[in-house]
Every structure is written in structure tokens, then in C-alpha cells.
């Protein structure tokens, strides 16, 4: 009698079915201990609070459906059986959440309840049914591509999105993995439902969930520390990293989390990109919707590192990756693999894998500083979110220049608050000056993926409508500021940085003025742009001129060298130029910046286009 075929998860058989060795088990224990030392796990008390919060949200969802159907005068039989259910997804559902993690939650209701009902009634029911004082900072955002309500519930950050299915009732045992439930949904409804569907598929497709979670915690922490975790900036996001780890788990189903981490770096750094990473074969379904297929769709052919979601309809989770960010990811994967190899031979420790990035300290000599500004916090949240969504387009345009090897966007922006008392000070701040930064404020790093107003702008939809008392409402949700007076006014800025690595070729100049101007014009083309509200400035800066607040305590800021050396002898063909030397190229406002230890030949010159929409100048 023939042996039954071995069952495995994934699109190919496992590479190894070997059980862990004692050394690998020991390394796994050490990895878990280090993750605890890194404060990667949430306390049991807070986790219990999350569970109770979700239980309350489930009760509110059931009550919400009843309230809406009662107002619509549906029959008691319909109301009684209508139901309603919440589904979690993201890091909480995957089981890799930590202190301060958001809890992504989908509210699923039957067909007779619509999105307008959700925003009209759900916030009020939250306030009514939650424990006294439990709700804080609730923000409905109705005009994002995927509308959302964000709130703090008993100290837990909750992101609520909504979908109504084309079914008469939503029982508590509903399984969203049924493809037929997608019938009758529009594109944003399908996106909403696919959050839990993708998460559940990933968990279903890994051989051992405990091993997967340990490895994913390590990989996520590593990616965050190395600043390569941000879909909007052209790096993989949380779902993409999870799918990569899940694929490695499929190939080594008996391995420990520590071994999976090591195999992850070696497999993915040697992957034959753009061969896609798949957890299962791409499936067809009942809808006339687009499914990732480079044989049919031209755009899919140009995905550099395609990682494909397992739930129908399959999509590429990494379509934002550019040539530069791919190079950076590959470098980091190799670095991570080298460290893990040494960990297993006792030469290094797990804490070395989680070392902070060196983007500002040793990464580059040249940087672009993209400074967006607005006169109110609300306007700046929206405007900076839109600008952030366009940074990767600037990166892609810079990559086209043969003189640029890498354009590396930092994965977060820097929010600053400034106080000015004159138009001259105002112009200086809009031009990137930090001289007037408010003394009683701290620079904060910003994460577009966590702010609902920025999400709305980044999705290039209509701006949020925020109307404040005694303020004139602006189309982009901002408030129009009063003119600067003797008492002063406040300006809010967000700065994004791009590190520039020059190609190893002899070149006398690097002129990116046209690229900068074209990109800024793209930003100014935003449907809700206002010249008196939204400001943008792009400037070149050297590493020694970076502001102090981009460095963390203990980091060493690059210093400016001021060496001057003459020829050592008749055979010496080059000499070093003092770092402070600058010279005018012609009578126009063009400055030629000479690098700190540049040779006379070749000499690098960065010419950056900057200014407001009108009154351009060269610098």
C-alpha cells in the first residue's frame, strides 16, 4: 500500500523537517529573554484590559445595529436576528502586539446598516455605553478612502473601520474567509474586509503559530530599529514583514523562532526578486475584481519585491518599494544575517541585532530636508500626510539621475512647533530654520500610518473638515490664521529627510533643481492646496548641519572638518579644499557647496530647488 503524500503548507515542500538541536533551543530562549528586555511584550494586566475593551465594543456593535434598524422601522424579527460582530486584525490578531500597540478593529454589520449610520450613531453609543471617562480623543474621519474612527478606550488605542455585508444578518460565528461574502461590496469595503481575512489566512498558513510569533516579534523590532518599516515611504509594512516570516516558517516547519530569524535573513537576502513571495497559490474568486497578475497587468510587472497577500483578491503588499529602498532593504538583510550568524557562534548577542539605525550619524554626507508647514496643527496634520505620501515619488525621480546611487527616505517625519513675531521670522521658519522653535515644546517623530487625518490626506481624498469656533473653515480642514502680530503666531512644521548616496563616478555637478521643482508642483496640485495655508520647502543639508533633535541621547553628531592641505610634492595631483569655502557660480543666487574633503577634481555640487509656489529662487 502506497504511503499517503506528506501534507505541507506553502507553494513548495519544506526545505528541512529537522527538529531543533539543544543549541537552537537555547538560542530561542535567549531571543525571548532579549525581546522581554527590549520591552516587546505587553503586561498581562494591559492585555486583559484589551480583552475587556473588545468585549464592550462587541456589545456596542450589537446595540448599534438595533438602534439603527429600530429608527428605520424594521420588524422585530429582523432586529432580533440582525446581529453584528467585530473582528480584530493587524498586530493584535497576529499576537505580536506590545506596549502601546493599536488594536485594529473591523465592525461588521448586515446590509440594512450603512456607513452614514456608523458615523452618525456609533460615536454617541461609545460615549453612552463605555465606562465613565473611558473614551478619550475620539476622531471620526469620514472622507478617507477607508473611513475610520480612532479613539483611546481605557488607555487602549483603537482604530475602528466599518463594513456592511450584503447579508440580512451577521451572526457571532460568521467566518469572513468565505469569498461569497465579498459579493456586492465596493473597493473600499473589500479593502476593509481584507484586513481580518489576510491576518487569519496568515495564521492558518503557518505550521506553528507560537514559533511564528516569536520570529515575527524579532523581525518587526529589527525592522523598526533599522528604520525600514513604513509602507508609505517605500519599505515593507507590518503585513508584508509578517508574510515574509510566515513563508520562512513554511519552509522550516519544525524550527525554533531563533532559527526562523536566521533563515529569514539568508533566504530573503538571496531571494530571486522579483519572483513573488507567496504563502499559497493565487486563487480566483466570484468577483470581477483585479487580482495581482503580472501577465495581465503591466503595472504588476514593475513591482520590485512583490509580497502577495494570501486572501482573495490577492494584492501586492509592497508595490511602493523603489530601487533605492530595495537596495537599502537588501543591505539590511545581509547585515542582519551576518549578525545572527555570529550570534549562533557566540560572537555576538541578540541585542546587537536590534541596534538603532545610523541614518543620521553615519549614513550619508548629503541630505535633502523636505519641510512642510501650516499655521495650525489640524492643517499641518492633513498637509504633512499628503506630502509624506509623495516623498517616495521624489525618491523615484532622484533614482533616475545617473549620479545618484541611492536616495534613502527616513521612515518618519519630525514635527516641530515654532513661535514667530514678524514676517521675517515667519519666512525663516517656512524656509526650514529652527531658530524660532518654541522653547516649551519637544520635537516629535511622526508616523503617518497612525494618524487618521494624515491617512485621509495620504490617500489623496478630500481633506478632513474640521471647523473650530471663531475660525474660518478652510477647504483642507485647516483654520485660516490671523496675520502675525506683535504677540506673535505659531507655525507647525514636519520635516522629512532623504539621504543621498552619490554614484562612484567623476562628476563636477549634481543639479536636481528640475526634479525638486517638478515634485513640489505635484504637491501643489493637491485638490485642497491653499497658498495661504500650505507651505513647502526643499533644501540640501550636510550631515554636520543636521539639527540636534534628530539624534538620540548618546549618539554622536557628525562634525565639520576644516582641514586645508597643500600639495605634498610635484607628483601630487589633488588637494583638499577647506569645508567652509563657498563661491558664487554667477550673478544669480546660486551657491556651489563644496564637500568637506572634496578633491579639486572631481568636485560634487548639489543644487537644490527651493521656495514657495511663487517667487522661486535657486540655492
Amino acid at each position: 500500500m502506497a504511503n499517503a503524500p506528506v501534507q505541507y503548507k506553502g507553494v513548495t515542500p519544506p526545505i528541512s523537517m529537522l527538529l531543533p538541536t539543544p543549541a537552537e533551543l537555547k538560542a530561542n530562549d535567549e531571543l525571548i529573554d532579549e525581546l522581554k528586555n527590549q520591552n516587546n511584550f505587553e503586561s498581562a494586566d494591559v492585555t486583559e484590559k484589551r480583552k475587556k475593551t473588545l468585549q464592550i465594543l462587541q456589545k456596542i456593535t450589537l446595540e448599534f445595529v438595533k438602534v439603527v434598524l429600530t429608527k428605520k422601522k424594521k420588524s422585530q424579527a429582523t432586529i432580533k436576528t440582525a446581529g453584528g460582530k467585530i473582528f480584530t486584525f493587524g498586530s493584535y490578531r497576529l499576537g505580536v502586539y506590545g506596549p502601546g500597540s493599536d488594536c485594529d478593529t473591523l465592525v461588521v454589520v448586515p446590509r440594512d446598516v450603512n456607513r452614514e449610520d456608523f458615523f452618525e450613531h456609533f460615536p454617541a453609543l461609545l460615549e453612552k455605553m463605555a465606562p465613565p471617562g473611558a473614551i478619550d480623543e475620539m476622531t471620526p474621519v469620514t472622507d478617507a478612502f477607508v473611513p475610520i474612527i480612532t479613539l483611546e478606550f481605557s488607555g487602549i488605542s483603537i482604530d475602528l473601520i466599518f463594513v456592511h455585508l450584503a447579508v440580512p444578518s451577521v451572526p457571532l460565528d460568521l467566518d469572513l474567509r468565505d469569498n461569497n461574502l465579498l459579493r456586492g461590496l465596493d473597493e473600499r469595503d473589500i479593502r476593509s474586509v481584507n484586513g481580518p481575512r489576510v491576518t487569519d489566512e496568515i495564521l492558518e498558513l503557518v505550521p506553528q503559530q507560537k514559533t511564528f510569533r516569536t520570529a515575527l516579534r524579532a523581525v518587526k523590532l529589527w525592522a523598526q530599529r533599522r528604520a525600514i518599516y513604513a509602507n508609505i515611504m517605500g519599505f515593507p509594512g507590518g503585513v508584508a514583514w509578517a508574510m515574509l516570516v510566515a513563508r520562512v516558517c513554511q519552509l522550516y516547519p519544525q524550527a525554533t523562532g531563533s532559527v526562523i530569524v536566521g533563515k529569514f535573513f539568508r533566504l530573503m537576502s538571496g531571494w530571486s526578486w522579483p519572483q513573488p513571495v507567496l504563502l499559497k497559490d493565487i486563487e480566483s474568486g466570484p468577483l470581477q475584481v483585479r487580482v495581482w497578475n503580472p501577465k495581465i497587468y503591466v503595472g504588476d510587472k514593475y513591482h520590485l519585491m512583490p509580497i502577495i497577500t494570501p486572501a482573495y483578491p490577492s494584492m501586492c503588499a509592497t508595490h511602493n518599494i523603489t530601487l533605492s529602498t530595495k537596495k537599502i532593504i537588501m543591505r539590511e538583510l545581509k547585515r542582519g544575517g551576518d549578525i545572527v550568524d555570529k550570534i549562533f557562534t557566540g560572537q555576538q548577542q541578540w541585542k546587537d541585532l536590534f541596534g538603532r539605525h545610523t541614518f543620521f550619524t553615519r549614513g550619508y554626507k548629503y541630505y535633502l530636508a523636505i519641510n512642510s508647514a501650516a499655521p495650525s496643527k489640524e492643517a499641518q496634520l492633513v498637509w504633512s500626510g499628503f506630502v509624506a505620501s509623495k516623498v517616495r515619488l521624489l525618491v523615484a525621480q532622484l533614482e533616475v539621475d545617473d549620479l545618484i546611487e541611492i536616495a534613502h527616505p527616513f521612515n518618519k517625519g519630525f514635527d516641530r512647533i515654532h513661535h514667530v513675531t514678524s514676517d521675517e521670522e515667519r519666512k525663516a521658519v517656512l524656509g526650514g530654520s529652527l531658530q524660532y522653535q518654541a522653547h516649551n515644546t519637544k520635537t516629535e517623530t511622526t508616523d503617518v500610518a497612525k494618524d487618521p487625518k494624515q491617512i485621509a490626506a495620504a490617500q489623496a481624498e478630500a481633506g478632513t473638515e474640521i471647523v473650530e469656533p471663531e475660525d474660518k473653515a478652510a477647504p483642507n480642514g485647516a483654520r485660516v490664521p490671523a496675520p502675525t502680530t506683535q504677540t506673535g503666531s505659531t507655525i507647525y512644521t514636519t520635516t522629512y529627510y532623504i539621504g543621498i548616496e552619490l554614484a562612484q563616478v567623476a562628476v563636477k555637478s549634481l543639479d536636481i533643481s528640475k526634479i525638486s521643482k517638478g515634485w513640489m508642483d505635484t504637491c501643489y496640485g493637491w485638490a485642497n492646496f491653499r497658498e495661504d495655508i500650505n507651505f513647502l520647502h526643499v533644501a540640501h543639508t550636510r550631515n554636520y548641519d543636521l539639527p540636534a533633535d534628530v539624534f538620540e541621547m548618546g549618539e554622536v553628531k557628525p562634525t565639520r572638518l576644516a582641514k586645508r592641505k597643500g600639495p605634498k610634492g610635484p607628483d601630487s595631483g589633488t588637494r583638499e579644499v577647506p569645508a567652509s569655502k563657498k563661491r558664487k557660480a554667477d550673478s544669480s543666487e546660486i551657491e556651489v557647496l563644496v564637500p568637506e574633503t572634496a578633491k579639486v577634481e572631481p568636485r560634487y555640487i548639489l543644487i537644490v530647488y527651493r521656495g514657495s509656489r511663487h517667487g522661486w529662487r535657486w540655492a
Side-chain angles (χ1 to χ4, degrees):
M1 181 176 178
N3 292 329
V6 177
Q7 297 295 318
Y8 59 85
K9 296 185 177 183
V11 294
T12 61
I15 294 174
S16 172
M17 294 290 292
L18 292 177
L19 293 172
T21 66
E24 291 169 348
L25 291 170
K26 180 175 181 292
N28 192 65
D29 291 340
E30 291 171 348
L31 172 58
I32 294 173
D33 288 342
E34 183 56 37
L35 289 171
K36 291 177 180 177
N37 291 337
Q38 298 282 346
N39 195 32
N40 196 256
F41 292 89
E42 187 175 73
S43 69
D45 291 344
V46 178
T47 297
E48 186 60 29
K49 186 186 294 185
R50 281 185 189 270
K51 294 177 180 178
K52 291 181 178 178
T53 297
L54 291 171
Q55 290 170 1
I56 295 173
L57 287 176
Q58 176 59 46
K59 292 179 181 178
I60 294 173
T61 297
L62 292 171
E63 182 63 20
F64 159 67
V65 173
K66 291 178 182 178
V67 167
V68 171
L69 295 184
T70 299
K71 286 182 176 293
K72 294 183 177 183
K73 299 182 179 179
K74 299 295 181 180
S75 69
Q76 286 301 311
T78 299
I79 295 172
K80 185 177 180 180
T81 60
K85 184 179 179 181
I86 64 169
F87 293 83
T88 58
F89 58 101
S91 62
Y92 179 76
R93 179 71 181 96
L94 288 172
V96 293
Y97 55 94
S101 293
D102 294 342
C103 196
D104 298 313
T105 308
L106 173 67
V107 176
V108 181
V109 298
R111 62 192 177 199
D112 291 325
V113 182
N114 59 42
R115 187 173 285 108
E116 289 72 26
D117 297 325
F118 178 64
F119 284 98
E120 180 181 355
H121 298 289
F122 207 90
L125 284 171
L126 279 167
E127 294 280 7
K128 177 182 177 181
M129 297 181 65
I135 302 295
D136 188 26
E137 299 181 8
M138 181 159 51
T139 307
V141 182
T142 61
D143 45 13
F145 184 77
V146 178
I148 186 173
I149 297 175
T150 67
L151 67 149
E152 292 284 325
F153 193 118
S154 297
I156 306 297
S157 296
I158 304 289
D159 291 343
L160 290 174
I161 58 177
F162 169 91
V163 68
H164 68 153
L165 303 178
V167 294
S169 65
V170 175
L172 292 178
D173 60 353
L174 180 75
D175 188 349
L176 281 181
R177 288 178 295 178
D178 181 358
N179 290 344
N180 289 312
L181 291 175
L182 301 179
R183 295 182 184 276
L185 303 186
D186 59 23
E187 184 181 354
R188 60 180 175 179
D189 284 337
I190 291 175
R191 283 200 191 186
S192 298
V193 173
N194 260 7
R197 281 165 55 85
V198 168
T199 305
D200 288 348
E201 284 275 14
I202 291 172
L203 291 174
E204 181 67 25
L205 290 166
V206 295
Q208 299 183 64
Q209 292 186 9
K210 183 178 180 180
T211 298
F212 164 72
R213 286 168 173 151
T214 298
L216 181 55
R217 281 183 180 275
V219 169
K220 284 187 63 175
L221 180 60
W222 161 80
Q224 290 164 348
R225 293 285 173 82
R226 301 305 297 175
I228 54 172
Y229 189 104
N231 183 50
I232 196 171
M233 289 295 177
F235 296 105
V239 171
W241 289 120
M243 288 189 287
L244 290 181
V245 173
R247 182 64 184 127
V248 180
C249 289
Q250 291 178 338
L251 295 172
Y252 296 89
Q254 304 285 4
T256 64
S258 59
V259 169
I260 294 297
V261 172
K263 298 296 185 183
F264 162 84
F265 286 113
R266 289 313 183 199
L267 277 172
M268 295 308 158
S269 63
W271 195 264
S272 299
W273 306 107
Q275 177 183 330
V277 173
L278 300 168
L279 298 182
K280 58 185 280 190
D281 292 325
I282 295 175
E283 63 178 298
S284 58
L287 308 179
Q288 295 297 318
V289 295
R290 176 170 175 165
V291 177
W292 188 85
N293 189 337
K295 294 180 180 180
I296 297 176
Y297 303 108
V298 175
D300 293 350
K301 294 180 181 179
Y302 296 100
H303 294 161
L304 300 177
M305 300 180 73
I307 304 170
I308 310 304
T309 56
Y312 171 83
S314 292
M315 306 174 187
C316 179
T318 46
H319 63 277
N320 283 350
I321 289 178
T322 70
L323 290 170
S324 287
T325 55
K326 179 187 175 184
K327 290 179 181 178
I328 295 157
I329 294 165
M330 298 306 289
R331 287 179 181 178
E332 289 293 343
L333 287 169
K334 183 182 184 306
R335 172 189 173 276
D338 291 342
I339 291 175
V340 175
D341 286 349
K342 292 180 179 179
I343 290 172
F344 276 98
T345 59
Q347 300 175 66
Q348 287 191 280
Q349 299 177 326
W350 285 111
K351 66 179 181 181
D352 299 316
L353 179 64
F354 307 127
R356 180 173 154 85
H357 64 84
T358 57
F359 181 85
F360 295 111
T361 55
R362 298 195 304 274
Y364 303 94
K365 289 184 178 180
Y366 310 101
Y367 295 84
L368 294 185
I370 301 163
N371 195 57
S372 63
S376 75
K377 182 178 180 180
E378 293 77 16
Q380 180 57 11
L381 280 172
V382 179
W383 174 231
S384 65
F386 179 80
V387 171
S389 72
K390 301 302 178 185
V391 168
R392 64 184 176 84
L393 300 183
L394 176 57
V395 168
Q397 292 164 12
L398 292 170
E399 293 170 344
V400 176
D401 195 309
D402 292 336
L403 304 182
I404 296 177
E405 179 68 24
I406 283 179
H408 180 173
F410 190 62
N411 66 333
K412 293 184 179 181
F414 292 81
D415 288 338
R416 302 180 178 101
I417 303 174
H418 314 261
H419 186 72
V420 298
T421 58
S422 67
D423 286 339
E424 289 75 18
E425 293 177 357
R426 176 177 172 274
K427 290 177 181 178
V429 169
L430 297 181
S433 172
L434 304 185
Q435 184 178 354
Y436 306 103
Q437 188 170 357
H439 297 299
N440 60 341
T441 62
K442 284 181 58 179
T443 299
E444 302 285 350
T445 55
T446 182
D447 187 348
V448 172
K450 293 184 180 296
D451 191 281
K453 299 186 187 70
Q454 290 187 314
I455 291 170
Q459 292 171 340
E461 295 296 304
T464 55
E465 296 182 0
I466 303 173
V467 182
E468 299 190 12
E470 303 178 6
D471 282 321
K472 178 183 175 182
N476 60 5
R479 51 178 180 171
V480 178
T484 302
T485 65
Q486 290 184 348
T487 58
S489 63
T490 301
I491 299 175
Y492 296 81
T493 64
T494 304
T495 306
Y496 301 98
Y497 293 93
I498 300 176
I500 301 295
E501 180 179 316
L502 299 175
Q504 298 299 313
V505 295
V507 59
K508 293 184 178 181
S509 67
L510 174 61
D511 185 350
I512 57 175
S513 56
K514 290 182 180 180
I515 293 175
S516 300
K517 179 184 182 299
W519 178 78
M520 293 174 74
D521 286 343
T522 297
C523 293
Y524 293 138
W526 181 39
N528 294 318
F529 177 81
R530 283 189 52 171
E531 294 182 5
D532 59 338
I533 294 293
N534 308 119
F535 304 93
L536 188 61
H537 181 268
V538 180
H540 159 244
T541 185
R542 288 295 302 268
N543 55 356
Y544 50 73
D545 286 327
L546 289 167
D549 56 10
V550 304
F551 301 94
E552 287 196 353
M553 185 177 297
E555 291 184 331
V556 178
K557 179 180 178 179
T559 56
R560 184 177 188 178
L561 302 178
K563 296 181 179 179
R564 184 185 184 94
K565 297 181 180 179
K568 294 182 178 180
D571 295 331
S572 177
T574 63
R575 66 182 178 87
E576 292 186 338
V577 181
S580 59
K581 184 174 181 180
K582 298 180 181 179
R583 55 196 177 100
K584 298 286 185 180
D586 53 34
S587 58
S588 65
E589 292 186 45
I590 299 178
E591 286 187 335
V592 177
L593 305 180
V594 182
E596 57 187 8
T597 56
K599 308 298 182 181
V600 172
E601 294 292 340
R603 178 169 62 247
Y604 294 103
I605 303 168
L606 262 70
I607 306 175
V608 182
Y609 199 92
R610 58 185 177 182
S612 58
R613 193 175 189 182
H614 299 292
W616 300 106
R617 66 187 182 88
W618 298 96

Short mmCIF file of all heavy atoms in Angstrom, two decimals, residues 13-32:
data_model
loop_
_atom_site.label_atom_id
_atom_site.label_comp_id
_atom_site.label_asym_id
_atom_site.label_seq_id
_atom_site.Cartn_x
_atom_site.Cartn_y
_atom_site.Cartn_z
N PRO A 13 7.43 22.30 -1.15
CA PRO A 13 7.70 21.47 0.03
C PRO A 13 8.70 22.16 0.96
O PRO A 13 9.46 23.04 0.55
CB PRO A 13 8.29 20.19 -0.56
CG PRO A 13 7.87 20.18 -1.99
CD PRO A 13 7.79 21.61 -2.41
N PRO A 14 8.72 21.76 2.23
CA PRO A 14 9.70 22.33 3.18
C PRO A 14 11.13 22.03 2.75
O PRO A 14 11.41 21.04 2.07
CB PRO A 14 9.36 21.63 4.50
CG PRO A 14 7.95 21.14 4.33
CD PRO A 14 7.80 20.82 2.89
N ILE A 15 12.04 22.91 3.15
CA ILE A 15 13.46 22.68 2.92
C ILE A 15 14.01 21.69 3.93
O ILE A 15 14.83 20.84 3.61
CB ILE A 15 14.23 24.01 3.00
CG1 ILE A 15 13.82 24.93 1.84
CG2 ILE A 15 15.74 23.78 2.98
CD1 ILE A 15 14.42 26.32 1.90
N SER A 16 13.54 21.80 5.17
CA SER A 16 14.04 20.91 6.22
C SER A 16 12.91 20.61 7.21
O SER A 16 12.13 21.50 7.57
CB SER A 16 15.21 21.55 6.97
OG SER A 16 15.58 20.79 8.09
N MET A 17 12.87 19.35 7.64
CA MET A 17 11.92 18.93 8.66
C MET A 17 12.64 18.55 9.95
O MET A 17 12.05 17.93 10.85
CB MET A 17 11.11 17.73 8.15
CG MET A 17 10.20 18.04 6.97
SD MET A 17 8.80 19.08 7.41
CE MET A 17 7.88 17.96 8.46
N LEU A 18 13.90 18.93 10.09
CA LEU A 18 14.70 18.56 11.25
C LEU A 18 14.15 19.21 12.52
O LEU A 18 13.73 20.37 12.50
CB LEU A 18 16.16 18.97 11.06
CG LEU A 18 16.94 18.21 9.97
CD1 LEU A 18 18.35 18.79 9.84
CD2 LEU A 18 16.98 16.72 10.27
N LEU A 19 14.20 18.47 13.61
CA LEU A 19 13.81 19.01 14.91
C LEU A 19 14.94 19.88 15.47
O LEU A 19 16.10 19.72 15.09
CB LEU A 19 13.49 17.86 15.87
CG LEU A 19 12.26 17.03 15.51
CD1 LEU A 19 12.18 15.81 16.42
CD2 LEU A 19 10.99 17.86 15.61
N PRO A 20 14.61 20.80 16.37
CA PRO A 20 15.64 21.70 16.92
C PRO A 20 16.70 20.95 17.73
O PRO A 20 16.41 19.95 18.39
CB PRO A 20 14.83 22.64 17.83
CG PRO A 20 13.42 22.50 17.39
CD PRO A 20 13.26 21.12 16.86
N THR A 21 17.91 21.45 17.67
CA THR A 21 19.00 20.94 18.50
C THR A 21 18.97 21.64 19.85
O THR A 21 18.33 22.70 20.00
CB THR A 21 20.35 21.19 17.83
OG1 THR A 21 20.58 22.62 17.78
CG2 THR A 21 20.38 20.63 16.42
N PRO A 22 19.65 21.10 20.85
CA PRO A 22 19.73 21.79 22.16
C PRO A 22 20.28 23.21 22.03
O PRO A 22 19.81 24.13 22.72
CB PRO A 22 20.66 20.89 22.97
CG PRO A 22 20.45 19.53 22.38
CD PRO A 22 20.26 19.76 20.92
N ALA A 23 21.26 23.40 21.16
CA ALA A 23 21.83 24.74 20.98
C ALA A 23 20.79 25.70 20.40
O ALA A 23 20.74 26.88 20.78
CB ALA A 23 23.05 24.67 20.07
N GLU A 24 19.98 25.21 19.48
CA GLU A 24 18.95 26.07 18.88
C GLU A 24 17.86 26.40 19.89
O GLU A 24 17.33 27.53 19.90
CB GLU A 24 18.37 25.37 17.66
CG GLU A 24 19.36 25.28 16.50
CD GLU A 24 18.89 24.36 15.39
OE1 GLU A 24 17.90 23.62 15.60
OE2 GLU A 24 19.50 24.38 14.30
N LEU A 25 17.51 25.45 20.74
CA LEU A 25 16.53 25.72 21.80
C LEU A 25 17.06 26.75 22.77
O LEU A 25 16.33 27.65 23.23
CB LEU A 25 16.18 24.42 22.52
CG LEU A 25 15.38 23.38 21.71
CD1 LEU A 25 15.32 22.06 22.46
CD2 LEU A 25 13.97 23.90 21.42
N LYS A 26 18.34 26.66 23.09
CA LYS A 26 18.95 27.63 24.00
C LYS A 26 18.96 29.03 23.36
O LYS A 26 18.64 30.03 24.02
CB LYS A 26 20.38 27.20 24.32
CG LYS A 26 21.14 28.13 25.27
CD LYS A 26 22.49 27.54 25.62
CE LYS A 26 23.27 28.44 26.59
NZ LYS A 26 23.67 29.71 25.94
N ALA A 27 19.29 29.09 22.07
CA ALA A 27 19.29 30.37 21.37
C ALA A 27 17.89 30.97 21.33
O ALA A 27 17.71 32.20 21.42
CB ALA A 27 19.83 30.20 19.96
N ASN A 28 16.88 30.12 21.22
CA ASN A 28 15.49 30.60 21.20
C ASN A 28 15.10 31.20 22.55
O ASN A 28 14.46 32.26 22.62
CB ASN A 28 14.55 29.46 20.84
CG ASN A 28 13.16 29.93 20.52
OD1 ASN A 28 12.94 30.64 19.54
ND2 ASN A 28 12.19 29.55 21.35
N ASP A 29 15.51 30.54 23.63
CA ASP A 29 15.24 31.08 24.98
C ASP A 29 15.93 32.42 25.16
O ASP A 29 15.36 33.35 25.74
CB ASP A 29 15.71 30.10 26.04
CG ASP A 29 14.87 28.83 26.10
OD1 ASP A 29 13.73 28.86 25.60
OD2 ASP A 29 15.37 27.81 26.62
N GLU A 30 17.14 32.53 24.64
CA GLU A 30 17.89 33.79 24.76
C GLU A 30 17.23 34.89 23.94
O GLU A 30 17.20 36.06 24.36
CB GLU A 30 19.33 33.57 24.31
CG GLU A 30 20.14 32.68 25.25
CD GLU A 30 21.49 32.30 24.68
OE1 GLU A 30 21.70 32.53 23.46
OE2 GLU A 30 22.33 31.77 25.44
N LEU A 31 16.68 34.52 22.78
CA LEU A 31 15.97 35.51 21.96
C LEU A 31 14.74 36.02 22.69
O LEU A 31 14.49 37.24 22.73
CB LEU A 31 15.57 34.89 20.62
CG LEU A 31 14.66 35.73 19.72
CD1 LEU A 31 15.31 37.07 19.40
CD2 LEU A 31 14.30 34.96 18.45
N ILE A 32 13.96 35.14 23.28
CA ILE A 32 12.76 35.55 24.01
C ILE A 32 13.14 36.44 25.19
O ILE A 32 12.48 37.45 25.46
CB ILE A 32 11.97 34.31 24.47
CG1 ILE A 32 11.41 33.57 23.25
CG2 ILE A 32 10.83 34.71 25.41
CD1 ILE A 32 10.77 32.24 23.59
#
